[in-house]
Amino acid sequence: MFSKILIANRGEIACRIIRTARHLGVRTVAVYSDADIDALHVTLADEAIHIGTAAASESYLSKERIIAAAQRSGAKAIHPGYGFLSENADFAEAVEKAGLTFIGPSPASIRAMGLKDAAKALMEQAGVPVVPGYHGDKQDTAFLAERAAEIGFPVLIKARAGGGGKGMRRVDRLEEFAAALEAARREAKSAFGDDAVLIEKYLSQPRHIEIQVFGDSQGNVVHLFERDCSLQRRHQKVIEEAPAPGMTMEMRSAMGEAAVRAARAIDYRGAGTVEFIADVSEGLSPDRFFFMEMNTRLQVEHPVTEAIAGVDLVEWQLRVASGEPLPKTQAELTIDGWAFEARLYAEDPSRGFLPATGTLAHLKFPEGDARIDAGVRQGDSITPYYDPLIAKLIVHAPTREAALGKLTRALRDTQIAGTASNLDFLIRLSEQPDFVTGHPDTGLIDREVEALTSVQPPDDVALVIAAIVEAGGLTRSLSTDPWTSLGAWQLWGEASRPVVLYHGSDQTNCRVIAKGQDLFSVPFDDRTVSIRLVDRSGDTCRLEVDGRQVSVSIFRIPHGLTLFLDGQTHRFHRPDPLDGEAEMVAGGDRLIAPMPGLIKIVRVREGDAVAKGQALIVMEAMKMELTLAAMRDGVVESLNVSEGDQTSESAVLLSLRPEDTQ
């Protein structure tokens, strides 16, 4: 076993590797950029080395700096985690040439699976079924359009390098193909340095099922069963589970054997995942699953496999990389129960899952049965430089029903304030009827997106609590007690204060009346809601509402208020007159940058007439492309950015004027 390893990554996966290494008595070296100087993985590691600026290209993607850091620290091996350099064959080769051990597969294995077109050809030779499509080298736009028409729409354009949904576009009509191809190529070039694509048939009712495989240097290969990763948005996984619902022993055996054949075909060593797409239009069938790609690294969703198989896959990685054989044979591996993983992101589902930044003013995870793999803690900031993952929440139980119940409860007990998050979306998704009954597919979220992402109006109790807190002043903490700030009574009538609440795009005007004895009421047009403070401890209050006691946690943030009540999160905000968000929602005159980013494409010039919804600017932020559209019909009056510019959050990118205004 290694005495010391360097972790060439950050965030959640770096923290995850540190935990196992510590358990095995292995010392760890973290690396960090300017943006991560106080990051959790830096504080958890035994030592840490600075490797560059916030830009990933100057830090976590710098092969030379990472290898130099390993040599400087005396580490004997490098663990790449996932993302960044984890599937970079040149990096793995450079690590070995430096006399260090790469904790992962050989450079040759990485290269064999690194380009999807070559990998599919190799899998066909190995007898692994592949998705119908074009996987060749010819990349001419007209030629690819012809191949797409031959395959039959809808088709999926996929970058041949990388993964994570980058460089991927679904195309339903020939007329849309060229624009989609351009966008996919651009995103692939930015993410992977390779703009080549392949074209595949898009299955109308697919499920994404993957098999965890593991090999050692003695030639042993096993599979650790399947994971269902069908719940996706923008081709990125949201909730994963193991085993897959509805899986038969016959199909599990067929998929497992195919995955092992794939691994043996490239002499695979270490942890890997063979991803399949299954056509479930007539249910799961062992003759209707197809190879998509192989991820030559540890997957983000590996904890669900650990839960049902009772193993530590990071420990297996370290043991295999140090020359030990696999800890278990195929016959010794069994499935125990059911597991789910939900990915908590800083993003706004109601705005197309737009990534979010901000400080985690409050972060609380459930206590008890849930496993939390997090790379941040309360007070940390979500920056625009890296993936906005906050944490992974994992549960395990004897049955799917029990595990799913645990997942929903754990999500409802999670509290996040200070940035937008997908928490409410995950709660609704965990209760979505098709998912609950075990019928997920990759199109489920798109079909149900309105129900899953729409901003729900707060109920009366949440409105009244928010109004009472707001009536207590605009302090950043609750040290000024809102429950007594109005005064218990007045000689000439009851104390009261007008309040305006903003929730999403809705505005509520009301008046808070102090009735005395910690009792408040808020009259509406057709009702009056009264609330009495029973007890208070820190940020949590126990209230009596119509004879029912409830607990509410209250957190102020710089421009708003967050309430956690009955397992739901209610966010109220105060409009900033300098912020363009309200204007964008209302269809105003200015196009505002939703976050810091790079201007990739400007599709208009000053004086151009545009229509509402027309794509005007494409920017890149947090590893994804964002297309910004016209807020209304009009003429471009001023254009403030050019392609290649870096822009800050809330910057005015362009302004419109009505078409008939000179």
Side-chain angles (χ1 to χ4, degrees):
M1 181 58 67
F2 308 107
S3 59
K4 181 189 287 189
I5 65 170
L6 180 139
I7 302 165
N9 218 296
R10 65 176 300 280
E12 172 269 322
I13 186 57
C15 296
R16 161 74 187 90
I17 296 166
I18 290 169
R19 286 198 303 272
T20 288
R22 182 175 295 164
H23 171 71
L24 296 174
V26 177
R27 291 180 60 80
T28 55
V29 182
V31 292
Y32 65 94
S33 70
D34 288 349
D36 280 340
I37 189 169
D38 295 319
L40 181 59
H41 75 281
V42 174
T43 63
L44 289 179
D46 294 300
E47 55 188 285
I49 297 177
H50 177 256
I51 56 170
T53 64
S57 61
E58 299 297 322
S59 51
Y60 299 106
L61 288 173
S62 174
K63 306 179 189 68
E64 297 78 15
R65 295 182 186 186
I66 289 172
I67 291 173
Q71 293 172 324
R72 173 183 165 190
S73 69
K76 303 303 181 184
I78 295 179
H79 195 308
Y82 55 71
F84 293 130
L85 294 170
S86 62
E87 294 180 279
N88 188 303
D90 292 341
F91 176 61
E93 198 166 65
V95 170
E96 293 180 353
K97 286 182 178 179
L100 304 169
T101 298
F102 181 75
I103 302 175
S106 68
S109 296
I110 297 174
R111 287 194 176 98
M113 289 297 182
L115 299 179
K116 296 182 180 69
D117 50 358
K120 289 178 188 295
L122 182 61
M123 290 301 98
E124 284 184 305
Q125 296 173 13
V128 179
V130 301
V131 180
Y134 173 73
H135 309 130
D137 293 328
K138 194 170 181 180
Q139 294 290 305
D140 176 75
T141 298
F143 175 81
L144 291 177
E146 290 176 4
R147 298 290 80 74
E150 290 174 3
I151 295 166
F153 292 96
V155 299
L156 198 62
I157 302 171
K158 296 176 67 174
R160 72 175 184 176
K166 305 295 187 301
M168 189 179 297
R169 295 291 189 279
R170 172 181 168 172
V171 186
D172 294 309
R173 299 183 304 141
L174 181 61
E175 295 81 3
E176 302 168 353
F177 185 84
L181 177 62
E182 178 191 357
R185 282 174 167 163
R186 193 169 54 247
E187 197 169 77
K189 182 69 174 178
S190 175
F192 316 120
D194 184 347
D195 64 359
V197 302
L198 49 86
I199 312 296
E200 290 182 348
K201 178 66 179 175
Y202 183 88
L203 303 180
S204 60
Q205 196 173 351
R207 276 174 61 181
H208 181 127
I209 301 175
E210 59 190 34
I211 303 290
Q212 175 74 59
V213 295
F214 228 106
D216 62 23
S217 55
Q218 286 78 29
N220 302 305
V221 181
V222 299
H223 71 82
L224 292 93
F225 317 113
E226 78 278 359
R227 299 185 286 256
D228 193 305
C229 306
S230 299
L231 293 185
Q232 302 179 9
R233 50 98 179 115
R234 289 200 310 262
H235 305 292
Q236 293 185 333
K237 301 162 189 175
V238 178
I239 295 179
E240 305 97 351
E241 63 181 298
M247 179 63 70
T248 64
M249 289 299 295
E250 180 186 14
M251 187 166 183
R252 177 174 293 130
S253 177
M255 295 185 78
E257 290 172 4
V260 169
R261 284 200 305 275
R264 289 191 185 280
I266 58 172
D267 192 23
Y268 198 78
R269 180 188 70 228
T273 296
V274 182
E275 299 195 347
F276 295 101
I277 194 81
D279 179 1
V280 295
S281 55
E282 298 179 20
L284 286 174
S285 174
D287 62 352
R288 286 201 302 275
F289 69 89
F290 309 97
F291 172 87
M292 289 197 302
E293 61 183 309
M294 183 176 184
N295 294 127
T296 52
R297 55 171 168 81
L298 195 67
Q299 291 280 87
V300 179
E301 59 273 17
H302 75 273
V304 294
T305 293
E306 293 182 322
I308 66 164
V311 301
D312 182 333
L313 293 179
V314 174
E315 179 178 342
W316 279 36
Q317 285 186 298
L318 296 179
R319 293 193 180 282
V320 165
S322 64
E324 296 182 25
L326 290 174
K328 290 188 177 184
T329 66
Q330 191 68 64
E332 293 173 319
L333 290 164
T334 58
I335 294 176
D336 175 26
W338 216 284
F340 287 93
E341 174 184 290
R343 302 189 191 186
L344 286 161
Y345 280 99
E347 63 184 12
D348 190 344
S350 68
R351 297 175 63 193
F353 297 96
L354 185 71
T357 58
T359 299
L360 294 165
H362 174 68
L363 182 63
K364 178 188 175 189
F365 295 117
E367 299 177 358
D369 293 336
R371 164 180 165 180
I372 307 297
D373 283 11
V376 293
R377 74 224 126 156
Q378 184 168 298
D380 286 351
S381 294
I382 305 296
T383 72
Y385 304 110
Y386 314 116
D387 187 271
L389 179 69
I390 296 173
K392 303 181 316 195
L393 191 155
I394 306 104
V395 297
H396 179 240
T399 66
R400 187 177 192 272
E401 181 181 14
L404 190 53
K406 272 189 177 182
L407 179 69
T408 303
R409 288 193 299 276
L411 289 168
R412 288 191 177 278
D413 288 341
T414 298
Q415 299 179 352
I416 302 171
T419 183
S421 81
N422 66 339
L423 178 58
D424 287 344
F425 162 76
L426 291 174
I427 293 171
R428 293 187 219 176
L429 185 57
S430 74
E431 298 174 327
Q432 201 281 332
D434 290 335
F435 180 50
V436 169
T437 56
H439 296 92
D441 66 78
T442 59
L444 188 151
I445 290 177
D446 286 343
R447 291 194 304 272
E448 302 294 329
V449 67
E450 179 63 26
L452 294 170
T453 64
S454 60
V455 178
Q456 299 296 313
D459 58 23
D460 288 352
V461 175
L463 275 174
V464 170
I465 294 171
I468 294 170
V469 174
E470 286 296 281
L474 300 179
T475 57
R476 289 195 174 207
S477 69
L478 294 177
S479 57
T480 301
D481 192 345
W483 301 101
T484 58
S485 60
L486 293 181
W489 57 277
Q490 292 186 57
L491 181 62
W492 303 108
E494 299 166 320
S496 66
R497 184 171 297 171
V499 172
V500 181
L501 296 173
Y502 298 90
H503 184 275
S505 58
D506 296 331
Q507 174 181 321
T508 301
N509 298 286
C510 55
R511 178 170 290 275
V512 177
I513 301 173
K515 311 289 286 187
Q517 297 293 320
D518 292 322
L519 177 66
F520 297 83
S521 67
V522 177
F524 296 97
D525 291 339
D526 57 348
R527 65 202 183 284
T528 296
V529 178
S530 297
I531 290 182
R532 182 187 300 278
L533 173 65
V534 177
D535 188 33
R536 177 167 174 188
S537 176
D539 296 307
T540 300
C541 299
R542 179 162 290 279
L543 314 173
E544 184 182 66
V545 185
D546 296 330
R548 177 177 76 99
Q549 289 195 11
V550 298
S551 289
V552 59
S553 297
I554 305 167
F555 297 92
R556 284 192 182 279
I557 55 178
H559 297 295
L561 176 73
T562 301
L563 307 179
F564 300 101
L565 175 68
D566 291 333
Q568 290 186 302
T569 304
H570 301 281
R571 294 182 177 87
F572 300 88
H573 65 92
R574 300 181 206 96
D576 184 343
L578 301 179
D579 187 355
E581 182 177 349
E583 185 173 4
M584 286 194 296
V585 172
D589 296 327
R590 304 183 299 165
L591 186 67
I592 307 297
M595 61 176 47
L598 174 69
I599 302 299
K600 298 285 287 186
I601 297 176
V602 178
R603 298 191 182 278
V604 292
R605 295 175 297 180
E606 290 184 359
D608 286 354
V610 300
K612 182 178 180 180
Q614 179 181 334
L616 304 181
I617 291 175
V618 178
M619 64 181 291
E620 182 184 272
M622 298 178 90
K623 298 170 63 177
M624 64 174 287
E625 277 196 359
L626 309 173
T627 298
L628 307 181
M631 309 76 70
R632 58 170 177 78
D633 295 346
V635 173
V636 179
E637 184 171 48
S638 63
L639 181 61
N640 305 323
V641 292
S642 301
E643 293 179 4
D645 287 353
Q646 288 283 346
T647 187
S648 59
E649 184 175 2
S650 299
V652 179
L653 306 181
L654 61 76
S655 299
L656 298 180
R657 59 176 169 81
E659 289 183 286
D660 57 355
T661 300
Q662 299 298 321

